[in-house]
Amino acid sequence: MHPPGNEARDPDEDGVHLPSVEALTAGTLALMTGYAQAAADCPNRSLMARKLVSNLFFLSGHPHVSPPMRNMLANLRTRWQLAAEAAPMAGPDRQPSPLWHAAPVNVQ
């Protein structure tokens, strides 16, 4: 049983708290959806792919994941690494997508 307010964390053998497998998996799937739905020239696409690689790395080493699942996650991480390297990097010269809303001049 977790103390109140700490439901999304699992302690490992050393007593260190790790994000729960479910929370990390849900975040990773949401990022995959965002990446798939983003336009090819989206300036955040490379950041999403890099975060996916990171999440897959941590999932593949999580103590509550079975060995076959770890292997599958490691293979998936390798494939996403290629996407992260191929995605255009966001930079100061990148312009917002026409789908973005312009920032208001004044904030009330």
Side-chain angles (χ1 to χ4, degrees):
M1 189 105 188
H2 295 290
N6 200 19
E7 294 83 12
R9 300 175 77 75
D10 295 327
D12 72 0
E13 298 81 27
D14 299 325
V16 176
H17 291 282
L18 300 172
S20 74
V21 173
E22 291 85 6
L24 196 51
T25 301
T28 303
L29 293 173
L31 273 170
M32 287 178 174
T33 302
Y35 185 91
Q37 292 177 346
D41 64 345
C42 174
N44 295 322
R45 202 170 162 107
S46 66
L47 297 174
M48 287 189 281
R50 288 173 35 203
K51 181 60 178 170
L52 281 163
V53 171
S54 174
N55 283 9
L56 291 168
F57 171 79
F58 287 112
L59 278 169
S60 68
H62 200 286
H64 297 129
V65 174
S66 68
M69 185 68 167
R70 286 182 187 194
N71 289 337
M72 189 277 301
L73 290 165
N75 289 336
L76 197 56
R77 181 174 56 93
T78 300
R79 294 172 191 255
W80 274 99
Q81 182 67 46
L82 297 173
E85 293 168 0
M89 290 294 292
D93 59 331
R94 303 260 327 172
Q95 295 297 314
S97 161
L99 299 177
W100 289 11
H101 296 283
V105 177
N106 296 322
V107 179
Q108 296 180 342

